[in-house]
Amino acid sequence: MTTQYQAHQPDARGHIAYSEVENATWQALIRRQLELLPGHACQAYLDGLERLALPRERIPQLAEVDRVLEAATGWRTAPVPALIPFDTFFELLADRRFPVATFIRTPEEMDYLQEPDIFHELFGHCPMLTHPGFADFTATYGRLGLAASPAERVYLARLYWMTVEFGLVETPQGRRIYGGGILSSPRETRYALSEAPEHHPFDALDALRTPYRIDILQPLYYVLDSLESLQELARRDIMALVHQAMALGLYPPRFPPK
């Protein structure tokens, strides 16, 4: 996949100077998404968002986010280009460094872009990285991916997609969202908890075998019984599940081909 976006390079102090248009885009995105969080986002995400205290009027500097993440779970961010190799992605996660592409979408692509931008990474994902169980699972995933073969990584990608990006969880308040791919998208936030898609209880083997497309609303979401399930999953032999999934093969896709 190619990209039109170029990441900003930090200066010697680690500071990135964003333009007025870029800061205005952040302001519009965060205002719009904050209105949708009540009744949609899980409490762990809301707690993490409160701890991060992301500015509303400008794009945050990564050092501001790092101070909170390091104190909470030992994670930091890592400024990266718009697209990075799989090896780099897994290395960073294994080292508890979350890759953040230091560009923001253009006003023309407010509603959807294929590349993860700084709003998707900071607003969508970083609040959950203050949750110890989620943070441990993500680091474990990075270590597994680093040691995996290319064929195994294709299956691991499905697990990440169905949890970190598009995961739902049952809570005492009802079904809620924890996946950053949903929580950074107004359309997906409304859709994910509606009656339109299928909702299945989370099963790691099923998730590993479920095809997905990145450019459509998800036809199926897997729902954890609690966030603690991710911590339990991190202690399991995930690679044995990957090999089992590879032997069984993929489920039929729930979407038309591109």
Side-chain angles (χ1 to χ4, degrees), residues 213-234:
R213 267 178 56 181
I214 68 170
D215 59 341
I216 60 172
L217 290 167
Q218 302 306 301
L220 165 66
Y221 298 91
Y222 285 105
V223 187
L224 294 173
D225 54 11
S226 73
L227 286 175
E228 284 63 43
S229 300
L230 283 182
Q231 222 161 3
E232 294 165 14
L233 178 58

Side-chain angles (χ1 to χ4, degrees), residues 40-112:
H40 289 92
C42 71
Q43 193 59 47
Y45 173 89
L46 295 173
D47 291 345
L49 191 64
E50 185 175 354
R51 290 181 77 168
L52 287 176
L54 298 172
R56 306 290 190 261
E57 74 287 352
R58 61 172 173 83
I59 299 173
Q61 297 297 321
L62 297 187
E64 299 173 87
V65 176
D66 288 349
R67 281 192 288 272
V68 178
L69 291 183
E70 284 196 280
T73 57
W75 275 78
R76 291 171 293 147
T77 60
V80 298
L83 300 171
I84 58 174
F86 281 121
D87 281 348
T88 305
F89 176 71
F90 290 121
E91 283 170 10
L92 289 171
L93 295 187
D95 195 35
R96 288 186 174 248
R97 299 180 68 203
F98 197 77
V100 176
T102 52
F103 71 88
I104 195 161
R105 68 197 71 182
T106 63
E108 293 74 34
E109 290 196 290
M110 287 283 281
D111 291 329
Y112 175 77

Side-chain angles (χ1 to χ4, degrees), residues 179-194:
I182 308 175
L183 289 168
S184 57
S185 162
R187 190 176 175 207
E188 197 99 30
T189 298
R190 293 187 186 96
Y191 172 83
L193 297 179
S194 74

